Amino acid sequence: MTALLDLKLVFVTGKGGVGKTTVASAMALFASLRGKRVLICEVDAKGDVAGFYEAPPTGFKEREVLPDVFAMTMDTEASLREYLKLQLRIPVIGRIGPLAKAFDFVATAAPGVREILTVGKLCYEVRERNYDLVVVDAPASGHIIGQLAAPQAINNLVKVGLIRSQTDWMLDILSDPAATGLVAVCTPEEMPVTETIELAVRVREETTVRLAAVVVNRVLPELFGRQEEEVFDVLGSSEALGRLNELVGGDAGPVLDAARLAVTMRRTRSTHLDRLRLSIDGAIPMLYLPYLFTRSHGLRTTRQVAASLGEELGY
Amino acid sequence: MADAGTGKAPRGAPPAGGGSMDGLLATKEIVVACGPGGVGKTTTAAAAAVMAAIRHGSKVLVLTVDPAKRLANALGLDGIGNTEHRVPDEAFRSAGVKPRGQLWAAMLDTKESWDALIAHHAPDDQTRDEILANPLYQNIAGRFVQSHDYIAMERLYEIHSASDYDLIVVDTPPTRNALDFLDAPQRMADFFSSRLLRWLIVPYRSRLVNVATKPFYQIADRILGTEFLADISEFFILFQSMYAGFVERSDAVGRLLSDRRTTFVVVSTLEAVPLREAEFFAEQLTNRRLHLGAIVLNKVLPDYLRGAAGASVAESMKERAEEFAAQLSPTLTLVDPVLGDIDQIARVLTEVADGYLNFQVVALREMEERSSLSVVPDVLATVPFFETDIFDLAGLIRLGEQIWD
């Protein structure tokens, strides 16, 4: 199986709030540090990617935000404009006002048009070999299937026409396991794990893209081994705690409470992790990223996540 | 202090934390829970509904979109689609409470709701069946996300119109953008009344002679292909008979959201990214003159993590771990000789201290985020981090009690 970073096109998805953009940004950064020229594309135009690199807001036109990391924001209308210019040689008149309106309308009415323009632009960058790797901060897991299945859906719906003729080469790229992969990000919590398990099934059944890795984000550190946990339990007993309080010259209760919270949280989470491991095909790599106890989010965090990701990938 | 729910409190800059969820839910008919993904929106909506049913003696419905399986089970929603379903008193009894009112629950089934809407607006059975069988319709209704936003609000409207409940708490679908569902009714109305739609359903021959629309068709034909365009036209010609109904309905749904009986509860955690999104959403609600009733901050780390005393205790435990371990060893040996190992005790002390200091960084960051909150509604509720998942009524009540007073 092609190693994750040797793919050409990687879609990163996950339930909202699990750190999908963090992982995508870190993956792009790590690949660039390994000497690759990388494009990271944000599909949900929230502008978060720029924040993770502490760069000014990104647009449809890609910009180098770090050495060899180019960032862009998907804009389906701009993608259509580029497509018309490149493929159909339809002259672009000014801001193509009426066309934009017509497009917006058709895209709302005709399912798949918006999706195909997104996937089309990404596949185009791959086909033209403009980058070694294209990382997509893709829509959340509820929406990614529609996106990845769009070329196939269009193939079924549209019998002729230019869009139809364009879907074949896109499908070739998307279906090539050595070129394209999906990365599902989750946290070790109930809903994210459930969604990831469901996503894995739907990706297999409804798309031609393969699931290349599952990233488990925000894994809490294991504080104690078994016997250490016994020591910890006894430390909490009134006698030992009294002694400890004397030694530290204060109330050690809150400090022990924090550790207890960490232990319980980890235990609850590990049951969800077990469920995930049992449900995901053993051949699909699982990458674990630690919970980060950091002051703020920004480039520093992205670098830390990139380093952890690199370790997990065996570099 | 004005009660949060009377609507008398000035919008925009009400005093912080003055009202209570209790008051808010006692006076509103619709509560829309919204906010970024992954913050516990569904659970919070369910907890608010449970509390209202227990404390207010009213008939409450919680309309949820995509609950966790165990939560759905707890509400008796497993395998039940659009049907409203009463949560049995027995379930409350096993959670140790006796509700004064009734709790009902329903899950939104997007496809089923769309079909019902078509059936409602279709002029006759034949049109209905043709639309339901149309592949474009099936795609729009079943697969495409924007349709979820609209149908959730539409379903809310329908249930509210039937006047069966004193209070409806609705959970909003996970959207690309938390605002999508607010715009959905207007977008739907615009869509059906747009000139482009009329162009599309003009018979094919007259399109080519009409100077105004000719360029549009030429480009559309080249991109989509004539056949697909014909499919689209056919679909909208079928739909034509229902435009008026749809537009009228979308307007009504939009009006209901801005009605004073409706309030919005924004749910978030104190993580930077979701909080910014929640804040933006709260600002938008205010700009649109919608009622921002409350902000619920979920999964907040406990207070004891923020004390300066705790930090100094942890520092000293870490620095003098060996020394303390030697002192503690006899006490632990008394319990079990294997626990008396000094190195092992020192490791535990160091781990414990590190754990505290790590979590303190996060807890302080959370407080910083909280104090910089730009929008402060009448009700600002904080829910502590629960160590275990919430998956039953007892858990919902535990959470509910945190936001209630």
Side-chain angles (χ1 to χ4, degrees):
Chain A
M1 202 194 286
T2 313
L4 193 58
L5 294 186
D6 292 330
L7 294 171
K8 303 290 171 219
L9 178 58
V10 173
F11 290 87
V12 181
T13 187
K15 182 177 160 58
V18 299
K20 174 172 70 70
T21 309
T22 314
V23 172
S25 307
M27 187 182 295
L29 173 60
F30 185 75
S32 79
L33 297 174
R34 301 284 309 166
K36 291 182 188 285
R37 187 180 155 90
V38 188
L39 174 70
I40 176 162
C41 174
E42 185 174 25
V43 170
D44 285 352
K46 281 185 181 169
D48 292 343
V49 164
F52 284 98
Y53 295 121
E54 295 181 25
T58 51
F60 183 71
K61 178 92 187 77
E62 76 285 359
R63 191 160 40 77
E64 194 167 12
V65 288
L66 286 174
D68 280 330
V69 178
F70 295 79
M72 66 164 286
T73 305
M74 184 52 69
D75 173 344
T76 39
E77 198 188 307
S79 171
L80 174 67
R81 214 175 302 148
E82 187 180 272
Y83 172 79
L84 293 177
K85 207 163 78 183
L86 286 167
Q87 309 286 320
L88 303 184
R89 285 181 260 295
I90 290 179
V92 180
I93 318 143
R95 284 172 54 248
I96 55 161
L99 177 60
K101 248 180 120 180
F103 161 69
D104 211 43
F105 184 84
V106 172
T108 311
V113 170
R114 218 178 274 281
E115 282 78 5
I116 199 87
L117 283 163
T118 299
V119 173
K121 163 74 177 168
L122 298 166
C123 288
Y124 173 76
E125 295 296 336
V126 172
R127 192 184 63 173
E128 297 299 304
R129 298 171 198 272
N130 289 337
Y131 302 93
D132 301 312
L133 173 65
V134 177
V135 176
V136 189
D137 179 16
S141 35
H143 310 179
I144 184 75
I145 298 292
Q147 190 121 68
L148 296 178
Q152 192 62 56
I154 290 277
N155 247 355
N156 298 340
L157 273 173
V158 187
K159 304 293 176 235
V160 289
L162 273 152
I163 281 206
R164 165 72 199 238
S165 67
Q166 294 293 325
T167 52
D168 289 339
W169 67 267
M170 289 183 202
L171 278 170
D172 286 345
I173 293 177
L174 293 176
S175 319
D176 178 359
T180 303
L182 177 71
V183 170
V185 184
C186 70
T187 50
E189 296 169 284
E190 179 170 22
M191 284 300 278
V193 162
T194 304
E195 234 173 71
T196 305
I197 294 170
E198 286 167 5
L199 178 73
V201 175
R202 291 194 63 191
V203 169
R204 198 172 55 235
E205 288 173 356
E206 297 174 37
T207 79
T208 58
V209 178
R210 81 174 165 104
L211 183 59
V214 173
V215 173
V216 186
N217 195 17
R218 297 196 200 125
V219 177
L220 286 168
E222 171 125 53
L223 279 188
F224 312 120
R226 177 169 292 227
Q227 204 172 68
E228 288 173 339
E229 198 163 332
E230 275 180 61
V231 171
F232 172 70
D233 286 342
V234 178
L235 281 178
S237 67
S238 60
E239 210 183 331
L241 183 60
R243 188 82 190 90
L244 186 59
N245 285 345
E246 281 167 33
L247 291 166
V248 297
D251 183 9
V255 181
L256 295 187
D257 284 344
R260 204 164 290 121
L261 177 70
V263 168
T264 332
M265 269 166 75
R266 194 186 145 90
R267 198 169 292 149
T268 309
R269 289 170 168 228
S270 65
T271 60
H272 295 305
L273 267 182
D274 292 344
R275 190 158 55 93
L276 182 67
R277 281 195 210 97
L278 281 175
S279 314
I280 299 287
D281 179 352
I284 296 168
M286 302 262 273
L287 311 171
Y288 301 92
L289 300 178
Y291 188 99
L292 290 181
F293 298 97
T294 52
R295 265 163 236 261
S296 60
H297 297 289
L299 187 52
R300 190 163 160 264
T301 316
T302 311
R303 287 192 197 285
Q304 283 176 350
V305 179
S308 311
L309 195 63
E311 271 174 42
E312 283 291 292
L313 287 169
Y315 291 97
Chain B
M1 176 89 266
D3 188 297
T6 59
K8 283 175 195 154
R11 287 177 185 182
S20 69
M21 198 66 87
D22 186 355
L24 185 68
L25 266 55
T27 47
K28 295 293 180 186
E29 290 179 13
I30 293 176
V31 175
V32 184
C34 46
V39 298
K41 210 166 27 185
T42 306
T43 315
T44 307
V50 166
M51 289 301 287
I54 293 176
R55 300 281 174 89
H56 286 163
S58 38
K59 189 174 174 188
V60 184
L61 173 75
V62 55
L63 178 60
T64 137
V65 180
D66 185 20
K69 205 168 170 47
R70 290 190 294 173
L71 184 64
N73 284 338
L75 294 172
L77 285 174
D78 202 27
I80 293 174
N82 263 341
T83 337
E84 296 144 45
H85 180 92
R86 182 164 176 192
V87 179
D89 277 351
E90 173 53 33
F92 281 94
R93 263 199 300 279
S94 12
V97 289
K98 192 177 180 311
R100 291 175 53 208
Q102 300 179 3
L103 179 65
W104 291 67
M107 213 155 79
L108 181 79
D109 182 318
T110 309
K111 180 72 170 65
E112 209 179 297
S113 299
W114 270 105
D115 291 354
L117 190 65
I118 298 296
H120 176 86
H121 286 302
D124 52 66
D125 291 356
Q126 196 196 337
T127 313
R128 182 196 63 204
D129 295 342
E130 278 175 26
I131 290 177
L132 294 183
N134 187 294
L136 270 178
Y137 166 74
Q138 290 177 348
N139 262 303
I140 293 178
R143 221 156 61 86
F144 284 86
V145 182
Q146 285 87 345
S147 69
H148 297 208
D149 302 335
Y150 178 69
I151 207 68
M153 294 302 112
E154 156 67 35
R155 180 102 171 93
L156 172 66
Y157 175 83
E158 192 191 300
I159 295 174
H160 184 257
S161 305
S163 309
D164 269 344
Y165 299 94
D166 300 306
L167 176 71
I168 304 168
V169 182
V170 58
D171 172 27
T172 50
T175 49
R176 283 158 196 252
N177 177 333
L179 286 169
D180 280 352
F181 76 88
L182 286 182
D183 294 328
Q186 187 56 47
R187 262 208 318 264
M188 197 54 79
D190 287 350
F191 182 74
F192 283 112
S193 48
S194 94
R195 195 169 50 160
L196 282 159
L197 186 59
R198 264 172 276 146
W199 285 2
L200 266 183
I201 56 178
V202 168
Y204 193 75
R205 254 175 311 146
S206 54
R207 289 171 183 179
L208 298 176
V209 294
N210 185 325
V211 180
T213 61
K214 203 171 166 185
F216 167 70
Y217 283 111
Q218 281 178 339
I219 292 177
D221 269 9
R222 287 190 71 179
I223 300 170
L224 296 168
T226 310
E227 198 183 326
F228 187 40
L229 215 55
D231 280 351
I232 297 178
S233 300
E234 190 201 1
F235 173 62
F236 287 112
I237 288 164
L238 279 172
F239 241 76
Q240 203 172 17
S241 55
M242 311 196 301
Y243 294 161
F246 256 91
V247 172
E248 196 184 301
R249 193 65 178 258
S250 312
D251 286 346
V253 173
R255 276 199 304 279
L256 180 64
L257 292 180
S258 52
D259 193 284
R260 54 191 295 275
R261 291 169 296 181
T262 303
T263 189
F264 290 79
V265 171
V266 178
V267 185
S268 180
T269 61
L270 283 170
E271 293 271 329
V273 175
L275 190 64
R276 289 293 90 73
E277 206 176 314
E279 226 172 18
F280 173 71
F281 190 66
E283 281 162 16
Q284 289 296 314
L285 288 174
T286 315
N287 291 346
R288 289 163 194 239
R289 306 197 51 76
L290 297 170
H291 187 261
L292 171 61
I295 292 183
V296 174
L297 299 171
N298 229 339
K299 306 184 189 176
V300 177
L301 287 173
D303 283 333
Y304 64 71
L305 284 170
R306 286 188 298 275
S312 80
V313 166
E315 294 286 2
S316 121
M317 260 169 79
K318 205 174 144 178
E319 276 161 30
R320 300 165 64 189
E322 293 286 334
E323 180 195 334
F324 292 168
Q327 300 276 343
L328 287 162
S329 174
T331 317
L332 281 123
T333 310
L334 276 179
V335 178
D336 184 341
V338 295
L339 303 180
D341 180 69
I342 295 177
D343 287 345
Q344 182 169 261
I345 301 170
R347 267 203 311 278
V348 171
L349 290 176
T350 311
E351 285 286 350
V352 167
D354 274 337
Y356 182 88
L357 294 170
N358 277 337
F359 275 106
Q360 182 167 63
V361 171
V362 181
L364 290 175
R365 185 179 76 204
E366 284 185 347
M367 274 313 99
E368 175 74 23
E369 292 289 354
R370 184 181 162 161
S371 61
S372 66
L373 210 60
S374 69
V375 184
V376 184
D378 216 16
V379 182
L380 181 65
T382 306
V383 182
F385 202 106
F386 291 112
E387 292 120 67
T388 49
D389 300 324
I390 291 174
F391 54 87
D392 57 9
L393 267 184
L396 289 175
I397 294 167
R398 247 175 97 206
L399 195 161
E401 281 169 347
Q402 295 289 335
I403 59 175
W404 198 246
D405 297 309

